[in-house]
Amino acid sequence: MFLNTFRRTKGGGLILHFHAALEKMSAEKSMHALLEIALKEALALTQAEVGSLFLVDEDKKEFVLKKASGEYLSQFPEIRRTLNEGILGYVANRRVPLLVEDVRRDSRFQHGNGFSGYRTTSFISIPILLHEKLLGVLSLTDKKSRRPFSKKDLEWMTLFAQGLALHIERNHLLSEFKENHHALEESRNTVTFLQGEKRRLGAELELSQKME
């Protein structure tokens, strides 16, 4: 219904941009390039200046910053957070998109939960979910207009995160396939080598027996 409403308004251009963004992501086979495009398009769609993409490290059970924009976030390329820490943890535990119009007046974040160093006090944070599995969190702040984010911004980015989740999972599967294919090729080469050695040793043994 939300999309149908937007098609009937001036937001039709946004629909085209949204689908173009999904097409760009679908064309990327590299995880690095996929996440870079995803954050760039999310910023453009919401007219935001600052954003971050954290993915879950399944082995260490923590968030890892994979992509960031904005002078403040870009200073910290290797940020890691626990799955229960701050705003990321709030979104991760509840598995629901979060819109904060003014963090200073939001009772859920009386101490800011680490939200500082930005030009505005409004942000959105969206869990990247594949069914119920948490893959990461997309967060955006500092709209160019300096106005708060809207419910429509949140709805668009929720849809965007759903598409991103599918592409992340696809890239994981492609990576696993390539690794398994490489391991299979190595196994085949080893078998071929061993078979060749067996034939060579058999021939040498037969020749030795004849010489006797």
Side-chain angles (χ1 to χ4, degrees), residues 3 6 20-21 24 28 40 43-44 54 56 64-65 68 78 97 105 116 121 141 168 170 187 197 210 212:
L3 289 175
F6 241 75
K24 288 179 184 178
E28 286 300 335
K40 179 181 178 181
L43 290 166
F54 281 83
V56 174
V64 182
L65 179 64
E78 294 297 327
R105 295 181 173 84
S116 61
T121 55
T141 187
I168 289 174
R170 179 206 62 182
S187 298
E197 285 296 290
K210 286 181 180 179
E212 292 178 357

Side-chain angles (χ1 to χ4, degrees), residues 1-211:
M1 182 175 178
F2 168 69
L3 289 175
N4 290 334
T5 301
F6 241 75
R7 287 191 181 99
R8 293 193 296 270
T9 69
K10 63 182 180 180
L14 191 56
I15 285 278
L16 296 176
H17 188 167
F18 180 84
H19 284 292
L22 294 182
E23 286 294 324
K24 288 179 184 178
M25 289 194 295
S26 68
E28 286 300 335
K29 302 299 185 293
S30 157
M31 184 67 77
H32 173 82
L34 168 63
L35 298 179
E36 188 169 300
I37 288 174
L39 183 56
K40 179 181 178 181
E41 294 299 328
L43 290 166
L45 284 163
T46 56
Q47 292 295 292
E49 294 180 338
V50 178
S52 64
L53 253 174
F54 281 83
L55 294 188
V56 174
D57 183 330
E58 292 287 353
D59 296 328
K60 296 185 177 181
K61 303 300 180 186
E62 61 185 7
F63 285 113
V64 182
L65 179 64
K66 291 297 185 179
K67 288 294 170 184
S69 71
E71 183 179 351
Y72 177 71
L73 279 175
S74 299
Q75 297 175 29
F76 308 100
E78 294 297 327
I79 293 177
R80 286 179 174 266
R81 295 282 185 266
T82 66
L83 296 182
N84 296 312
E85 186 176 348
I87 293 168
L88 285 174
Y90 183 94
V91 173
N93 289 328
R94 288 162 179 77
R95 299 288 205 278
V96 292
L98 173 68
L99 165 63
V100 173
E101 294 185 355
D102 189 343
V103 71
R104 297 169 303 182
R105 295 181 173 84
D106 196 308
S107 61
R108 296 170 295 183
F109 309 106
Q110 292 182 350
H111 301 291
N113 280 52
F115 187 83
S116 61
Y118 305 105
R119 292 189 176 92
T120 66
T121 55
S122 178
F123 65 89
I124 54 177
S125 194
I126 303 98
I128 303 170
L129 298 168
L130 187 70
H131 305 300
E132 293 300 315
K133 180 182 178 182
L134 179 69
L135 302 182
V137 174
L138 168 65
S139 299
L140 304 166
T141 187
D142 286 356
K143 284 180 78 75
K144 293 178 181 178
S145 65
R146 299 294 179 254
R147 298 181 65 181
F149 285 89
S150 66
K151 290 182 179 180
K152 286 182 179 179
D153 289 325
L154 189 70
E155 290 172 333
W156 275 113
M157 286 300 99
T158 299
L159 290 173
F160 185 85
Q162 291 171 5
L164 178 57
L166 293 174
H167 293 309
I168 289 174
E169 184 66 11
R170 179 206 62 182
N171 279 30
H172 277 316
L173 293 174
L174 282 173
S175 179
E176 288 179 5
F177 173 79
K178 288 178 181 178
E179 289 177 6
N180 292 337
H181 181 71
H182 180 68
L184 180 60
E185 285 298 313
E186 287 188 340
S187 298
R188 286 174 176 170
N189 292 338
T190 300
V191 169
T192 300
F193 172 76
L194 292 175
Q195 288 174 337
E197 285 296 290
K198 180 180 178 181
R199 287 193 295 271
R200 183 181 64 79
L201 291 173
E204 289 181 359
L205 179 60
E206 184 178 347
L207 179 61
S208 175
Q209 290 173 342
K210 286 181 180 179
M211 291 179 66

